[in-house]
Amino acid sequence: MSDCLFCKIARGEIPANVAYEDDEMLAFHDINPVSPLHVLLIPKKHIASLLDLSRDDEALAGRMLARAGELARRLGYGQNGARFVFNAGRDGGQTVGHLHLHILGGRAHGWPPG
């Protein structure tokens, strides 16, 4: 999608502090972090939200989850744990219409979330 903020970041049209990149996904540090570690992991393919994943996307979604854990460990947040969050839709707290996984670490996160 040409006007999607995260698609523009994935294409390199908008700069980002990249933490990880491969052919199908990109991870970058959130510009408004809520934790010492706050990285967003996105597929380069435009998928609006978790609610829009199809069976064709199952392998990609699995690779995203595996990459998220690897990334948290590589960035030094494997020892005490991390929070991994998908928000979907307005009521779910999603603010950018592109599937993204928040990787949060470096502090305790309460439950339930706000």
Side-chain angles (χ1 to χ4, degrees):
M1 176 177 274
S2 63
D3 62 338
C4 170
L5 174 66
F6 287 174
C7 286
K8 288 179 180 180
I9 291 171
R11 291 191 303 262
E13 296 170 12
I14 296 175
N17 182 1
V18 174
Y20 174 82
E21 183 173 13
D22 65 24
D23 290 341
E24 60 185 357
M25 65 189 85
L26 175 74
F28 54 93
H29 294 269
D30 195 296
I31 61 170
N32 294 308
V34 299
S35 290
L37 173 67
H38 189 170
V39 169
L40 303 175
L41 179 61
I42 66 168
K44 290 182 176 179
K45 171 186 175 181
H46 182 81
I47 302 169
S49 81
L50 188 70
L51 298 168
D52 297 294
L53 281 173
S54 71
R55 288 190 179 266
D56 293 338
D57 301 316
E58 288 176 353
L60 171 62
R63 287 190 295 275
M64 283 182 68
L65 293 175
R67 239 30 99 249
E70 290 173 9
L71 189 55
R73 288 188 304 275
R74 184 172 62 82
L75 293 173
Y77 295 90
Q79 183 70 26
N80 292 329
R83 177 168 284 178
F84 303 88
V85 178
F86 284 106
N87 296 323
R90 184 185 66 228
D91 287 352
Q94 186 177 4
T95 58
V96 176
H98 187 113
L99 177 67
H100 55 286
L101 173 59
H102 295 260
I103 304 168
L104 306 166
R107 69 171 179 86
H109 292 85
W111 193 260

